[in-house]
């Protein structure tokens, strides 16, 4: 369980400097969003470094949000976001029970009395 929270925290604090586009003006429309980290090296990360999109566009919402990831810690894209700096943490998270849901079906079967502990994929 601890690895899940660690990966989630890392995912929330991740960055991709190579994806930073021109000047990030996201806050011109999204006012009130506070800085997400005080950690050195993280506090200057722009919105587009994690979320992508085009932070230089302020007059066309569709263009500004094209290619944007609403949740950069989503396991479908986390290797391209947080994983660029934290590959080990992301790899561990991708193998965790929270990502794989391993044991969920057998646990449910066991709970309903439809599977015993001797089954090939039994709950242990």
């Amino acid at each position: 369980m601890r690895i899940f929270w660690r990966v989630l925290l890392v995912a929330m604090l991740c960055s991709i400097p190579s994806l930073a586009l021109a000047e990030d003006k996201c806050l011109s429309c999204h006012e009130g969003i506070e800085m997400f980290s005080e950690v050195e090296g993280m506090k200057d990360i722009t919105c587009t470094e994690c979320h992508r999109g085009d932070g230089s566009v302020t007059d066309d919402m569709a263009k500004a949000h094209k290619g944007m990831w609403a949740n950069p810690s989503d396991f479908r894209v986390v290797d391209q976001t947080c994983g660029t700096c934290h590959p080990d943490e992301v790899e561990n998270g991708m193998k965790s029970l929270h990502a794989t849901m391993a044991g969920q079906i057998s646990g449910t079967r066991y709970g309903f009395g439809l599977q015993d502990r001797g089954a090939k994929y039994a709950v242990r």
Side-chain angles (χ1 to χ4, degrees), residues 4 50 63-64 72 85 97 124:
F4 170 74
C50 288
K63 187 175 178 185
C85 295
L97 293 176
R124 300 200 190 279

Side-chain angles (χ1 to χ4, degrees), residues 9 12-13 34-45:
L9 176 64
M12 290 170 53
L13 300 176
E34 71 280 350
M35 180 175 33
F36 70 93
S37 176
E38 294 287 335
V39 175
E40 196 60 43
M42 301 286 289
K43 63 183 176 181
D44 298 321
I45 293 174

Side-chain angles (χ1 to χ4, degrees), residues 101-111 115 121 123:
M101 300 300 285
Q104 294 298 311
I105 293 173
S106 62
T108 302
R109 286 182 183 155
Y110 179 79
Q115 176 176 315
Y121 300 104
V123 176

Side-chain angles (χ1 to χ4, degrees), residues 69-111:
W69 291 328
N71 178 5
S73 65
D74 186 314
F75 280 144
R76 293 171 288 186
V77 299
V78 73
D79 60 325
Q80 299 169 57
T81 56
C82 309
T84 60
C85 295
H86 306 284
D88 294 339
E89 288 82 352
V90 169
E91 182 179 352
N92 288 338
M94 297 293 276
K95 294 176 183 176
S96 74
L97 293 176
H98 305 282
T100 65
M101 300 300 285
Q104 294 298 311
I105 293 173
S106 62
T108 302
R109 286 182 183 155
Y110 179 79

Side-chain angles (χ1 to χ4, degrees), residues 29-76:
C29 295
H30 298 278
E31 294 179 41
I33 297 176
E34 71 280 350
M35 180 175 33
F36 70 93
S37 176
E38 294 287 335
V39 175
E40 196 60 43
M42 301 286 289
K43 63 183 176 181
D44 298 321
I45 293 174
T46 65
C47 303
T48 56
E49 287 178 292
C50 288
H51 293 278
R52 295 180 43 162
D54 188 345
S56 67
V57 177
T58 59
D59 60 343
D60 185 345
M61 188 172 79
K63 187 175 178 185
H65 293 107
K66 185 176 181 179
M68 190 182 112
W69 291 328
N71 178 5
S73 65
D74 186 314
F75 280 144
R76 293 171 288 186

